[in-house]
């Protein structure tokens, strides 16, 4: 789930240049995060979301709440992708216990 800009944003535009994938855009004089481009800064040089890290407000950029099962499957798919022999083990495990 992408980050989003909240009503606490003071339009300082720091996140505009901080985003490594160009997901922060301007709509009029207000920044907006394109959810189709935001990667949560995963697979970039950074370990934390750059929009949130650089924001001078407490909650100008926040991660949108994730649906429980969406998060569960995202974690599952990420872990399975890192394993070898996943056909032989994790998918059997999943089919057995789900
Ligand atoms: S979380 Fe990262 S990729 Fe998403 S808008 Fe913020 S800086 Fe850009
Ligand atoms: S860094 Fe924070 S306050 Fe500045 S434009 Fe982005 S969301 Fe708004």
């Amino acid at each position: 789930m992408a980050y989003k800009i909240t009503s606490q944003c003071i339009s300082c535009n720091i996140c505009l240049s901080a985003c490594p994938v160009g997901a922060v855009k301007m709509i009029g004089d207000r920044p907006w995060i394109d959810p189709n481009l935001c990667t949560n800064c995963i697979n970039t040089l950074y370990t934390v979301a750059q929009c949130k890290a650089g924001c001078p407000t407490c909650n100008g950029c926040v991660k949108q709440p994730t649906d429980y099962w969406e998060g569960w499957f995202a974690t599952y798919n990420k872990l399975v992708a890192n394993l070898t022999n996943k056909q032989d083990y994790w998918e059997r495990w999943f089919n057995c216990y789900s």
Side-chain angles (χ1 to χ4, degrees):
M1 196 57 88
Y3 274 70
K4 71 172 184 178
I5 293 184
T6 72
S7 60
Q8 292 191 32
C9 169
I10 56 171
S11 297
C12 71
N13 295 348
I14 288 174
C15 56
L16 207 68
S17 55
C19 178
V21 298
V24 186
K25 301 177 183 300
M26 293 302 288
I27 296 191
D29 59 351
R30 302 281 300 171
W32 168 76
I33 295 176
D34 185 339
N36 295 316
L37 293 179
C38 175
T39 63
N40 295 345
C41 287
I42 293 167
N43 294 329
T44 67
L45 291 173
Y46 307 103
T47 54
V48 295
Q50 292 301 288
C51 54
K52 184 170 179 61
C55 182
T57 72
C58 288
N59 287 305
C61 306
V62 296
K63 192 171 187 181
Q64 297 192 66
T66 306
D67 172 77
Y68 175 81
W69 285 110
E70 186 183 335
W72 193 95
F73 276 106
T75 303
Y76 168 77
N77 288 331
K78 191 170 147 190
L79 292 174
V80 166
N82 289 335
L83 294 172
T84 56
N85 300 324
K86 58 188 173 188
Q87 297 292 330
D88 297 337
Y89 184 81
W90 282 107
E91 287 190 5
R92 271 193 293 123
W93 178 90
F94 179 77
N95 291 335
C96 186
Y97 290 104
S98 63

